[in-house]
Amino acid sequence: MDGPLIPGLEQIGFGGDYNPDGWPEHVLKEDMELMRRAGVNLVTVGVFSWYAIEPRAGTYDFAWLDATIERLDKAGVGVCLATPTAGPPAWFWRANPDARVLDRQGHTLGTAARGIGCPSSATYRDAAARVASALAERYGEHPAVKLWHVHNEYGVPVFDCYCATSAAAFRTWLRARYGTVAALNRAWGTVFWGQRYSDWAEIEPPVRAATAANPTHQLDYQRFSNDELLDCYRAERDAIRAHSSRPVTTNLMTTNRQTPDYWAWAPEMDLIANDHYLTAEREDAHVDLALSADLTRSYAQGRPWVLMEHSTSAVNWQPRNLAKAPGELRRNSLQHVARGADATLFFQFRAHPFGAEKFHSAMVPQAGPDTRVFREVSELGADLALLRGVLGSRVRAEVAILWDPPSFWAQDLEWRPSVDLDHRAQIEAHYRALWDRNVTVAFAHPAASLDGYRLVIAPASYLLSAAAASNLSRYVSEGGNLLVSYFSGIVNECEHMPDGPMPGQLREVLGLTVEEFLPLRAGQLVRLGGGGLGSRWAEHVELGAATCLDTFADGPASGRPAVAVHAFGSGRAWYLATSPDAATLAGLLASVLATSGVSADVEAGEGLEHVVRRGDGQDFHFWINHSGVDREVGAVGRELLSGTPVAGSITVPAGDVRIVSTVAAG
Ligand SMILES: [Zn+2]
């Protein structure tokens, strides 16, 4: 058990972004009443209110925020106070045109939206730290303020900037990384295409060029951009810490495609917070939700975390913004809680009738409180109030999937062997197969300790540092089980292939080499000797000490190994040389899990999610039924949402949730 994640909050955090700028008095009054009815205990205030707090440079006006915080405090609602630095005011842009972001295509971004100033701009950073400091000085020890929310979604919508200020900062960063231009030339392989540099001043950001830009140059620019954003966060956090003892966080977007390297961010945050939005048209969007929650918990090193944003129903930025079905917002929220969230908040409390997000759902929709959505929100608030005992309990995982954003950045560069080499799709396929068997997963950095995991899966580890590769070898030799998919261990941290055949970093532990890539045509299927199907990829595998478990039965690798296993030290390493269909992957994983001693739970049937949070002497079993069929499961204890005893079994109705507290399994 952990102590309270957010000191002063003794229930699961529940609420949303609250931006009542300029609303009339009767609406503000009604908001407090509706928060009471819904059981709201935490709201995020001021995310985009820089203009209101600092109407002119250096002149602060706290009247609106004073009144808002006092009103919430009187209503017993805690405040997650945001710094407004993702929305610099118009006066800032007018006075500081050089702080605008220049994108990779050479366009200066307009400012009539939200985002960030140039992350390397001292003008922007200083202004952001000043407003953060002013807020912390005034509200740092206010009893209503429970938590600090720095900025908004760093990296989205601006991850990098290519202006002259950023170029100068990049050169400084490169000097610190490489020391000499000669070392940079070696690391970037600039002898290729005659790109050699003789002076730091010659190096530019990798703006759009005539053709594919140097890959190591591009990868380093992403590393640099990540570091610049993290420095922006640190500056605001430190300004807050000078005046406040409350925890400081920022809302990550852990599953966003262009994600910063949050492994570097997590140790800088007092607690981990995440935003997650369903891809509404995906039938299995709840599986992506589970992945996001498991990843967020992993960034939190297994501790509880905060779901800072999700939606009550439709969002406004997808091609087709499907509304959530009745019961879905409750299942979504409780799924996050099941996977370790100790607070679950929405964007947003009350819908705005104007602005870019007027079609985004809210706890109080445009149609008002006498609506299905507000009734479901209120029912959820009542449910969460019954889960106080769950606070601080932890989720355990026996299986880890490797997750390394710089490897994803590198794999996403131009000119790869196939456009179908999609790391995210590979990870999701493996995650889905494990979710179907109710195997709880953690995500791990490839160089982090893997002790305690019975099985580690590397579905897409294209880039592996020498430290990560030796970490994996040691894990297996000491008795671990490792499953590696194709196109892993191909390059090192400089984006160079090590000497000798592929996969250079993993040849020894896998007991095989890859002589040639044989990517498949779009839609082409290959048969495997064991009856399975592969797509996207095949390759010419030469076995060393590994044993072949299945072969390609046709296609360009016909007769060659498709699946192999290698006994290495006290452990085993499996290798998968194609992208199997779901049934083939499920069959392989069932066997790998059994050999690795990982218990799966498929007793209750398809679509029934089962996750356990462990507290002091108590286990909390969450059963979430995503199917249209009632399911029955075995349990002994007490159902927390109804308060009724459970003696042997319980029915989880279609679309519903049951949470049973039991005596800990030990
Ligand atoms: Zn810039």
Side-chain angles (χ1 to χ4, degrees):
M1 291 288 282
D2 293 281
L5 182 66
I6 304 171
L9 206 65
E10 281 155 14
Q11 300 207 356
I12 301 258
F14 181 56
D17 279 76
Y18 184 53
N19 300 306
D21 310 32
W23 289 351
E25 194 61 31
H26 73 272
V27 174
L28 301 177
K29 262 198 189 137
E30 190 193 43
D31 283 348
M32 296 309 111
E33 169 56 17
L34 295 177
M35 284 184 195
R36 190 192 59 75
R37 275 167 56 189
V40 166
N41 60 8
L42 186 66
V43 295
T44 301
V45 175
V47 179
F48 297 108
S49 301
W50 196 338
Y51 78 95
I53 298 158
E54 191 180 0
R56 288 183 306 285
T59 304
Y60 297 99
D61 177 355
F62 294 107
W64 166 78
L65 194 50
D66 280 354
T68 302
I69 292 176
E70 289 312 318
R71 199 178 297 112
L72 289 163
D73 193 25
K74 255 189 217 152
V77 177
V79 172
C80 169
L81 190 54
T83 68
T85 52
W91 61 254
F92 174 85
W93 294 120
R94 187 177 178 205
N96 304 292
D98 290 354
R100 294 180 190 212
V101 169
L102 185 70
D103 76 6
R104 190 170 182 235
Q105 280 68 41
H107 302 128
T108 300
L109 301 186
T111 59
R114 64 181 169 97
I116 191 172
C118 164
S120 303
S121 157
T123 313
Y124 169 73
R125 285 189 184 192
D126 291 349
R130 268 200 311 275
V131 71
S133 177
L135 281 166
E137 202 170 349
R138 191 168 186 89
Y139 303 109
E141 298 300 323
H142 193 292
V145 173
K146 308 295 182 200
L147 177 65
W148 287 98
H149 172 305
V150 172
H151 197 79
N152 183 62
E153 298 171 349
Y154 278 106
V156 185
V158 175
F159 182 79
D160 45 16
C161 176
Y162 294 78
C163 76
T165 305
S166 295
F170 182 46
R171 288 189 280 269
T172 304
W173 186 91
L174 289 171
R175 274 174 191 258
R177 183 174 177 87
Y178 294 109
T180 66
V181 176
L184 176 142
N185 277 315
R186 278 194 300 278
W188 287 13
T190 52
V191 66
F192 192 77
W193 282 358
Q195 297 171 346
R196 190 175 290 275
Y197 297 102
S198 53
D199 190 291
W200 295 107
E202 294 166 357
I203 300 168
E204 293 290 329
V207 294
R208 188 175 160 215
T211 182
N214 181 307
T216 316
H217 185 171
Q218 294 191 67
L219 179 58
D220 271 350
Y221 207 73
Q222 305 214 51
R223 290 175 170 135
F224 156 76
S225 300
N226 178 71
D227 289 357
E228 292 294 275
L229 290 174
L230 182 50
D231 276 349
C232 290
Y233 165 77
R234 282 196 197 101
E236 290 196 38
R237 178 203 61 191
D238 293 348
I240 292 167
R241 279 186 180 167
H243 303 288
S244 178
S245 58
R246 309 289 193 273
V248 183
T249 190
T250 182
N251 50 339
L252 308 180
M253 297 275 277
T254 56
T255 45
N256 206 52
R257 183 91 195 190
Q258 175 74 47
T259 164
D261 182 5
Y262 292 135
W263 292 118
W265 289 63
E268 307 280 347
M269 300 163 66
D270 293 331
L271 57 84
I272 300 297
N274 190 45
D275 294 352
H276 181 262
Y277 290 97
L278 298 182
T279 303
E281 285 187 78
R282 272 180 67 163
E283 296 280 349
D284 64 347
H286 54 278
V287 181
D288 179 66
L289 184 159
L291 188 160
S292 161
D294 285 349
L295 177 58
T296 306
R297 188 187 65 253
S298 303
Y299 282 128
Q301 300 296 321
R303 291 183 62 215
W305 50 278
V306 171
L307 179 68
M308 193 66 87
E309 295 182 20
H310 68 152
S311 70
T312 59
S313 189
V315 298
N316 57 316
W317 43 267
Q318 295 179 8
R320 292 166 204 84
N321 294 298
L322 275 56
K324 288 190 181 178
E328 195 173 358
L329 77 85
R330 179 167 172 271
R331 283 198 303 281
N332 292 163
S333 299
L334 292 172
Q335 234 188 318
H336 284 292
V337 174
R339 292 179 184 274
D342 270 5
T344 156
L345 314 181
F346 293 104
F347 179 82
Q348 53 196 325
F349 181 71
R350 184 186 281 276
H352 275 76
F354 46 79
E357 305 212 70
K358 59 181 157 297
F359 297 118
H360 196 295
S361 59
M363 299 169 83
V364 183
Q366 183 68 25
D370 187 17
T371 48
R372 173 186 74 83
V373 165
F374 187 72
R375 280 189 289 276
E376 289 195 28
V377 163
S378 303
E379 286 160 17
L380 172 63
D383 282 346
L384 292 171
L386 300 168
L387 300 182
R388 180 185 290 223
V390 170
L391 283 172
S393 60
R394 288 194 172 207
V395 178
R396 287 188 210 151
E398 296 180 324
V399 176
I401 292 179
L402 297 185
W403 183 274
D404 184 17
S407 175
F408 307 154
W409 302 338
Q411 196 183 315
D412 279 342
L413 296 174
E414 309 95 327
W415 292 8
R416 298 305 174 204
S418 168
V419 295
D420 296 329
L421 279 167
D422 182 340
H423 49 83
R424 187 60 66 86
Q426 285 297 301
I427 289 172
E428 286 177 1
H430 285 76
Y431 184 88
R432 173 67 203 239
L434 295 165
W435 186 90
D436 282 340
R437 307 182 80 76
N438 278 312
V439 173
T440 304
V441 167
F443 288 85
H445 188 275
S449 168
L450 302 169
D451 298 346
Y453 295 117
R454 291 177 189 269
L455 172 66
V456 171
I457 303 181
S461 294
Y462 165 66
L463 181 152
L464 273 184
S465 67
S470 66
N471 188 47
L472 295 178
S473 290
R474 187 174 57 245
Y475 166 73
V476 176
S477 70
E478 290 174 359
N481 299 285
L482 175 69
L483 170 62
V484 176
S485 277
Y486 62 89
F487 212 57
S488 288
I490 302 299
V491 296
N492 63 19
E493 55 265 59
C494 289
E495 233 268 343
H496 297 193
M497 290 178 182
D499 288 343
M502 292 174 287
Q505 306 270 32
L506 295 171
R507 284 189 305 246
E508 193 190 356
V509 68
L510 293 172
L512 53 79
T513 59
V514 175
E515 187 171 314
E516 192 177 9
F517 294 150
L518 303 166
L520 302 177
R521 292 187 174 85
Q524 184 182 359
L525 296 175
V526 288
R527 288 183 305 115
L528 305 185
L533 284 175
S535 65
R536 297 189 182 93
W537 191 261
E539 57 191 16
H540 175 160
V541 171
E542 286 287 340
L543 295 180
T547 307
C548 183
L549 296 177
D550 203 350
T551 53
F552 289 102
D554 57 21
S558 183
R560 304 263 171 212
V563 184
V565 66
H566 182 219
F568 182 76
S570 321
R572 285 171 217 86
W574 287 265
Y575 185 67
L576 179 55
T578 186
S579 182
D581 69 347
T584 308
L585 183 59
L588 173 66
L589 274 171
S591 136
V592 169
L593 289 167
T595 307
S596 307
V598 176
S599 45
D601 173 8
V602 289
E603 159 209 16
E606 202 180 332
L608 186 76
E609 181 171 350
H610 178 208
V611 191
V612 184
R613 283 186 70 157
R614 301 202 156 143
D616 287 338
Q618 256 186 321
D619 286 350
F620 304 98
H621 290 259
F622 286 72
W623 279 283
I624 301 157
N625 190 347
H626 301 279
S627 81
V629 185
D630 294 356
R631 305 284 194 198
E632 191 169 320
V633 294
V636 175
R638 195 168 63 89
E639 206 289 314
L640 296 179
L641 300 177
S642 59
T644 53
V646 181
S649 74
I650 186 168
T651 298
V652 188
D656 213 335
V657 181
R658 293 292 181 266
I659 305 165
V660 177
S661 149
T662 68
V663 176

